[in-house]
Amino acid sequence: MARIAVIGAGMGAMTAAARLAVAGHRVTVYERSATFGGSVGRYAHEGFAFDTGPTLLHLPAVYRDLFVKTGKEPLERCVTMTQVDPASHHIFADGTAVSLPNASRAGVVAALDTALGGGAGAAWGEFLDRARDAWDRSRRPLLEEPLRSDWQVLGRDPYPALRQRRLLRSARQAGTVTEVGAWELSDPRLAALLDGYALSYGLDPLRAPAAAALLPYMEETFGSWYVSGGIRALAQAVYERCLARKVEFVFGGEVARVVEKDGRAAGVELLDGTVAEAGHVVLGARPNPGLVPGQELWRDGDVAVQPKQGVVPGRFLVLLSLRGARPADAVHRTLVHPADGGAERGAVFGGRLADRPTVTVLRPDDPSTRPDDAHEAVTLMATVAPHGAVDWTDAALRERCADALIEAAGVAVPGIRERLLHAEVRTPAETAADTGAEGGSVPAPALAGAGCAYLHPGNRTRLPGLYIAGGWSHPGGGLAHAGMSGALVAGLIVEGDGFRGSQ
């Protein structure tokens, strides 16, 4: 039985901690803040409550597996989950709209054909068939096993782009999300739909590899799930599972550095000078140079280096307390698409404020989010440039961005301004302060293709005994991916370097 120190109490870190404790190790989690969950936060105001991080769960099997492997009580006994149906409602700039059913390929195709016409549903269905091929080719090395020593093979894009012949010119194949939309989809609204998926994950459609097609495939195949009480309730359940397995938590325990002895990680030193010895250390946060002084944790030819895709965006939230009941026919998630997606992309990844962003409107039918049935809690969300590229402490800029989101959301929530009681704004500046993430950036899932630019650092490091879990490590950001990273780290510690992932 080894003593293990875990730095951070985010979802990936807690997932690793629970699994390691069940394997018989003594696990202590050191968290700089006063609570658990990392980016999975909750804001409350006069009876209203809002998620401030992820809002929906995709691939719930990741957390079902965690609860099965760490005890006899399954996930569904700890939280209540419901499928969001329709999964999403989309309003395009020309006024057309479509609702996409949850986890129904045939339903999505039929809905697109009815709303957009012109064979749009068939075009999207054929695109999803190609996306399924990309999923099948990359799922195991990207999600289910530690990053391979020959990780460079993932530089090849697994998406089977159509080869398009052109008169007097060489044939072309889509290599990016934008090219897939322009060359393979029959309708600009379908291209906007695909771009919206990429942008919601913090990916630049103009640069992200075509392999990003597996993201809409994942959502439309495995569904979108809402956790009653918000995603914070899932974090609470994972935290309680850790406690039940005798994991110790030290809140307000910020780690100053990883202690090294005889060429391997041997514990952690806190800011107050306290040293806690450990046989293994799990870092559940983005690595910073001061944490492991003098160590180059990743090198080309060893394990994957830091992602090279450039700007990593954050999220801008407007949390609205509204008078008036939530209509019975209200949709949980609506995306309002702008007329000029290119201008939005250029602003987000160029370090500017977009005049007309893609706005996600969230209207959960959950009594815990509102004081009573005569009120409604609504969240508006947009992908934005990180803090630093944009000064998100600028009050005028925050107000201007919030106003743009509220204006756009009016087509999804009629009379939204007249119903407004209170608006709370949260920007990448708040994300940075709460989570320690530089610039308030939110990591995207790992993708194959683009010469490995969208991979994340491997869970092993060059310092023996030091492992990394969470969204800044393999297999990348997102609730499900963070849970996978925790499982991979636990497997590597318990089974050693011969661990090859779940079978």
Side-chain angles (χ1 to χ4, degrees):
M1 178 175 68
R3 186 181 293 274
I4 297 176
V6 177
I7 304 172
M11 297 299 278
M14 289 198 296
T15 297
R19 290 177 179 272
L20 289 166
V22 166
H25 297 291
R26 295 180 60 186
V27 183
T28 302
V29 177
Y30 298 90
E31 168 56 45
R32 62 188 286 272
S33 73
T35 189
F36 56 86
S39 64
V40 181
R42 192 80 163 162
Y43 172 79
H45 174 78
E46 296 184 350
F48 294 89
F50 310 83
D51 281 322
T52 58
T55 57
L56 293 173
L57 176 63
H58 307 293
L59 289 177
V62 173
Y63 288 93
R64 289 185 177 126
D65 181 71
L66 169 67
F67 278 73
V68 167
K69 297 290 176 58
T70 59
K72 296 181 179 180
E73 191 176 25
L75 175 61
E76 278 79 2
R77 288 186 186 176
C78 301
V79 296
T80 299
M81 298 194 307
T82 55
Q83 282 192 306
V84 176
D85 202 4
S88 58
H89 181 69
H90 296 264
I91 301 175
F92 298 101
D94 65 358
T96 57
V98 60
S99 289
L100 303 182
N102 199 336
S104 171
R105 170 75 65 83
V108 168
V109 169
L112 289 170
D113 270 336
T114 299
L116 307 185
W124 187 260
E126 291 167 3
F127 157 72
L128 287 181
D129 285 338
R130 296 188 291 276
R132 179 189 59 204
D133 289 343
W135 170 266
D136 290 340
R137 294 173 181 176
S138 60
R139 180 183 64 184
R140 185 159 183 80
L142 268 181
L143 304 178
E144 297 177 353
E145 62 184 23
L147 207 58
R148 296 159 41 170
S149 59
D150 61 341
W151 54 268
Q152 292 91 341
V153 301
L154 291 171
R156 295 191 292 270
D157 198 316
Y159 179 77
L162 295 178
R163 186 175 177 82
Q164 300 181 330
R165 299 183 181 279
R166 300 183 295 171
L167 185 64
L168 302 179
R169 288 183 291 174
S170 60
R172 66 182 181 185
Q173 289 178 281
T176 67
V177 169
T178 295
E179 289 173 349
V180 171
W183 301 348
E184 296 186 4
L185 299 175
S186 60
D187 190 300
R189 291 164 295 187
L190 293 182
L193 180 63
L194 178 58
D195 280 1
Y197 273 109
L199 195 62
S200 69
Y201 282 95
L203 296 166
D204 181 351
L206 192 64
R207 298 181 182 275
L214 62 82
L215 299 174
Y217 171 81
M218 179 183 72
E219 289 195 21
E220 295 188 16
T221 301
F222 303 107
S224 299
W225 299 75
Y226 178 73
V227 179
S228 296
I231 294 297
R232 181 67 181 177
L234 176 63
Q236 177 78 36
V238 175
Y239 171 66
E240 291 177 353
R241 177 54 55 92
C242 286
L243 294 179
R245 298 301 168 260
K246 310 302 182 185
V247 175
E248 296 181 13
F249 285 80
V250 178
F251 293 109
E254 185 168 356
V255 173
R257 68 182 183 94
V258 174
V259 175
E260 181 184 349
K261 183 179 180 180
D262 298 329
R264 63 172 289 114
V268 297
E269 180 181 341
L270 306 186
L271 282 180
D272 64 7
T274 301
V275 174
E277 296 182 352
H280 302 277
V281 177
V282 177
L283 174 58
R286 191 174 190 176
N288 66 72
L291 201 60
V292 191
Q295 281 288 338
E296 186 177 351
L297 296 182
W298 299 283
R299 294 178 183 170
D300 288 322
D302 183 15
V303 290
V305 296
Q306 294 283 357
K308 310 178 187 68
Q309 66 267 34
V311 172
V312 181
R315 304 290 184 269
F316 187 100
L317 303 179
V318 186
L319 313 177
L320 301 177
S321 302
L322 303 183
R323 63 170 63 88
R326 179 185 187 273
D329 60 351
V331 176
H332 185 110
R333 178 173 59 162
T334 297
L335 278 80
V336 182
H337 297 271
D340 190 349
E344 177 186 20
R345 184 211 67 77
V348 171
F349 297 95
R352 304 188 305 278
L353 178 64
D355 292 330
R356 296 184 179 276
T358 300
V359 178
T360 299
V361 182
L362 299 163
R363 308 179 73 181
D365 186 11
D366 183 349
S368 74
T369 65
R370 53 187 183 255
D372 53 51
D373 288 342
H375 296 84
E376 182 181 9
V378 174
T379 297
L380 311 182
M381 181 186 307
T383 299
V384 296
H387 183 52
V390 170
D391 180 9
W392 288 114
T393 64
D394 184 317
L397 184 144
R398 291 162 66 100
E399 182 177 355
R400 190 164 81 248
C401 188
D403 189 69
L405 266 63
I406 294 172
E407 181 68 23
V411 299
V413 187
I416 189 171
R417 291 190 186 276
E418 291 73 20
R419 296 177 59 193
L420 184 60
L421 293 172
H422 178 77
E424 179 72 16
V425 171
R426 292 184 61 87
T427 76
E430 283 74 35
T431 302
D434 291 348
T435 69
E438 183 179 355
S441 294
V442 179
L447 296 172
C452 298
Y454 290 80
L455 294 182
H456 289 261
N459 309 108
R460 287 173 290 217
T461 73
R462 291 178 61 84
L463 180 63
L466 176 63
Y467 300 84
I468 300 187
W472 296 104
S473 67
H474 178 73
L479 276 175
H481 292 69
M484 294 173 197
S485 76
L488 292 174
V489 165
L492 287 167
I493 291 175
V494 173
E495 299 185 26
D497 287 344
F499 175 67
R500 290 294 177 266
S502 59
Q503 299 297 322

